[in-house]
Amino acid sequence: MIYADYNATTPCLPDAARLMTRMLCEDFGNPSNRASLFGRTARGAIDLAREQMARAAGAFPDEVIFTSGATEACNMAIFGVMERLMRERPRILTSAIEHPAVCMPAEACASAGAEWIEIPVDGRGRLDLEALSEALASPTALVCVMAANNETGVRQNIAEVVKRAHAAGALVFCDMTQLLGKVPFSVHTEQVDFACFSAHKCYGPKGIGALYKRRGLALSPLLRGGGQENGLRSGTENVPAIAGFGLAADLAAREVNVRRAHLQKLTTQLESEVRRRIPGVVIQSAEAERIPGTSMFSCPGLRGKWLAQLSGIVASSGSACASLQEKPSHVLQAMGVDPETAARSIRISLGMPSTPADVRQIAQALAKGAEKLRET
Ligand code: PLP
């Protein structure tokens, strides 16, 4: 089996897994128990991970809140902001290609009386900035635009989004889940107000993520209780996962240039081999700026499911959540791709263990599958 679904999830680094085992079995104290060495050791592990995460994101440690993943961080930012600002600024804007972790909370805000507007993208998946400015003419609490799309890899001009949103008095939430370890970035440079991250997208464990909240901004908590994470995320911290995330984030930031070069080289190889082997293939957003490692292939006119033909390759037809619901990708449809072609598109996402030989086999399998579906 060749694994080519790294945007869905990545294998956990053995060093992170070892650290987690130690935190589970030996240094297992409750970090709130500062009176015991056990507790202080656990607290120290969280403090270190917070510093590592902050450095990786270009933030201050006190701006990092650990959550159960990017989904929780999205929910926390959206509900936390809307609860505070809904009356004064009853509008939330999201790009039309956001992950369900953003769309669904926005939809819930709309059910609670907010006005939710989806800002369209063009055929390459780039946000329509003029439509954003028009929507910002009415008082808006929050603008949610992802930094890089999980299906196409397309990057957005976040600095411009922030400039326009801030000029209109709106806050900005940026889903940066797919950036960590693929391209260098900094939340402070981008000047976003909130951002989210997920450990399992960058060779850390599943079930842990982080919300970046700019210093001084207020947020209503989703979970209330013992007051952990500065009162913003109550519940005993998942110390092993936090420690594993810290290690993975630290390495992702340190190795980012090596990783970027590796992924870019393989992506270039994959796309040129696929173009050569499959006449009429479309590489979605090929002309837009993308993160390395992500290629979305469409092949109009195929009869049947292309993905089902890929024996020996683990890939997907879009985001993991879309596969779960077996719906055609809303991202491709927002870009103007017809639902049938969208449903038969294949996302190949490469990772650090991927090799040129893997890429060759993936291209071969894609070509073989397409040929078969054209014959039938
Ligand atoms: N946002 C993006 C862009 C993603 O790719 C994902 C993962 O599928 C998420 C959010 C949700 O992340 P998590 O699995 O940590 O909740």
Side-chain angles (χ1 to χ4, degrees), residues 13 15-16 19 45 47-58 66 180-183 185 197-199 202-205 241-259:
L13 289 164
D15 279 351
L19 174 60
D47 291 345
L48 172 63
R50 203 184 304 284
E51 276 168 29
Q52 290 170 317
M53 183 60 222
R55 218 176 308 124
F66 287 113
L180 203 52
K182 291 179 191 150
V183 286
F185 69 94
F197 304 95
S198 178
C202 61
Y203 310 94
I242 289 173
F245 186 15
L247 188 148
D250 189 46
L251 210 64
R254 285 179 202 277
E255 288 186 350
V256 67
N257 288 324
V258 174
R259 292 188 189 186

Side-chain angles (χ1 to χ4, degrees), residues 69-71 99 146 150 175 177-178 198 200-201:
T71 298
H99 189 275
M146 68 203 317
N150 45 305
D175 181 343
T177 305
Q178 294 289 345
S198 178
H200 74 102
K201 307 288 184 181

Side-chain angles (χ1 to χ4, degrees), residues 259-269 290-293:
R259 292 188 189 186
R260 177 163 63 168
H262 175 72
L263 294 174
Q264 193 54 63
K265 199 167 152 217
L266 292 183
T267 305
T268 305
Q269 181 198 339
R290 288 178 292 156
I291 47 167

Side-chain angles (χ1 to χ4, degrees), residues 225-353:
Q228 287 87 347
E229 294 297 286
N230 221 359
L232 285 169
R233 209 275 182 177
S234 286
T236 302
E237 298 91 334
N238 186 348
V239 186
I242 289 173
F245 186 15
L247 188 148
D250 189 46
L251 210 64
R254 285 179 202 277
E255 288 186 350
V256 67
N257 288 324
V258 174
R259 292 188 189 186
R260 177 163 63 168
H262 175 72
L263 294 174
Q264 193 54 63
K265 199 167 152 217
L266 292 183
T267 305
T268 305
Q269 181 198 339
L270 175 68
E271 296 186 355
S272 67
E273 288 205 23
V274 170
R275 275 205 178 100
R276 187 166 53 78
R277 287 170 187 273
I278 310 176
V281 75
V282 176
I283 300 170
Q284 299 293 346
S285 305
E287 308 306 321
E289 190 188 349
R290 288 178 292 156
I291 47 167
T294 307
S295 307
M296 177 64 100
F297 298 104
S298 301
C299 206
L302 295 188
R303 273 171 280 158
K305 286 215 162 167
W306 196 9
L307 187 63
Q309 302 296 326
L310 289 195
S311 58
I313 312 286
V314 180
S316 69
S317 57
S319 76
C321 316
S323 318
L324 210 63
Q325 296 162 13
E326 293 215 326
K327 278 193 201 156
S329 153
H330 75 288
V331 173
L332 294 186
Q333 290 187 79
M335 290 162 54
V337 177
D338 67 88
E340 209 159 276
T341 304
R344 289 170 188 178
S345 298
I346 294 181
R347 177 187 71 185
I348 299 292
S349 50
L350 303 170
M352 291 314 288

Side-chain angles (χ1 to χ4, degrees), residues 23-365:
M23 301 312 297
L24 274 169
C25 305
E26 294 168 37
D27 298 330
F28 58 83
N30 187 321
S32 296
N33 182 358
R34 287 162 207 255
S36 85
L37 183 59
F38 275 93
R40 288 197 299 276
T41 303
R43 173 60 51 199
I46 295 178
D47 291 345
L48 172 63
R50 203 184 304 284
E51 276 168 29
Q52 290 170 317
M53 183 60 222
R55 218 176 308 124
F60 300 125
D62 61 321
E63 295 176 317
V64 173
I65 303 147
F66 287 113
T67 62
S68 65
T71 298
E72 184 186 325
C74 296
N75 277 261
M76 195 168 163
I78 293 170
F79 290 129
V81 167
M82 294 309 285
E83 192 180 309
R84 294 180 73 83
L85 299 179
M86 178 96 148
R87 247 179 260 141
E88 290 161 53
R89 302 183 148 266
R91 182 176 268 201
I92 176 165
L93 309 180
T94 65
S95 86
I97 55 168
E98 292 300 304
H99 189 275
V102 167
C103 310
M104 293 296 119
E107 191 178 77
C109 291
S111 304
E115 195 184 355
W116 170 37
I117 298 177
E118 283 192 296
I119 309 298
V121 295
D122 63 17
R124 297 174 310 161
R126 298 271 294 175
L127 191 76
D128 181 340
L129 289 164
E130 293 321 306
L132 172 69
S133 290
E134 275 169 38
L136 283 166
S138 285
T140 301
L142 189 62
V143 175
C144 306
V145 178
M146 68 203 317
N149 186 268
N150 45 305
E151 297 187 25
T152 59
V154 170
R155 298 185 66 181
Q156 300 296 337
N157 185 348
I158 297 300
E160 190 58 34
V161 169
V162 168
K163 198 168 116 195
R164 293 179 190 219
H166 284 178
L171 295 167
V172 175
F173 170 74
C174 183
D175 181 343
M176 294 187 164
T177 305
Q178 294 289 345
L179 283 192
L180 203 52
K182 291 179 191 150
V183 286
F185 69 94
S186 149
V187 288
H188 284 175
T189 307
E190 297 287 359
Q191 297 193 340
V192 296
D193 300 295
F194 303 95
C196 69
F197 304 95
S198 178
H200 74 102
K201 307 288 184 181
C202 61
Y203 310 94
K206 292 173 181 57
I208 188 75
L211 175 69
Y212 158 77
K213 178 179 79 65
R214 187 160 60 79
R215 239 182 213 173
L217 285 178
L219 197 66
S220 303
L222 268 187
L223 301 182
R224 293 160 202 263
Q228 287 87 347
E229 294 297 286
N230 221 359
L232 285 169
R233 209 275 182 177
S234 286
T236 302
E237 298 91 334
N238 186 348
V239 186
I242 289 173
F245 186 15
L247 188 148
D250 189 46
L251 210 64
R254 285 179 202 277
E255 288 186 350
V256 67
N257 288 324
V258 174
R259 292 188 189 186
R260 177 163 63 168
H262 175 72
L263 294 174
Q264 193 54 63
K265 199 167 152 217
L266 292 183
T267 305
T268 305
Q269 181 198 339
L270 175 68
E271 296 186 355
S272 67
E273 288 205 23
V274 170
R275 275 205 178 100
R276 187 166 53 78
R277 287 170 187 273
I278 310 176
V281 75
V282 176
I283 300 170
Q284 299 293 346
S285 305
E287 308 306 321
E289 190 188 349
R290 288 178 292 156
I291 47 167
T294 307
S295 307
M296 177 64 100
F297 298 104
S298 301
C299 206
L302 295 188
R303 273 171 280 158
K305 286 215 162 167
W306 196 9
L307 187 63
Q309 302 296 326
L310 289 195
S311 58
I313 312 286
V314 180
S316 69
S317 57
S319 76
C321 316
S323 318
L324 210 63
Q325 296 162 13
E326 293 215 326
K327 278 193 201 156
S329 153
H330 75 288
V331 173
L332 294 186
Q333 290 187 79
M335 290 162 54
V337 177
D338 67 88
E340 209 159 276
T341 304
R344 289 170 188 178
S345 298
I346 294 181
R347 177 187 71 185
I348 299 292
S349 50
L350 303 170
M352 291 314 288
S354 308
T355 65
D358 291 344
V359 165
R360 216 163 302 125
Q361 282 198 46
I362 294 167
Q364 263 166 14

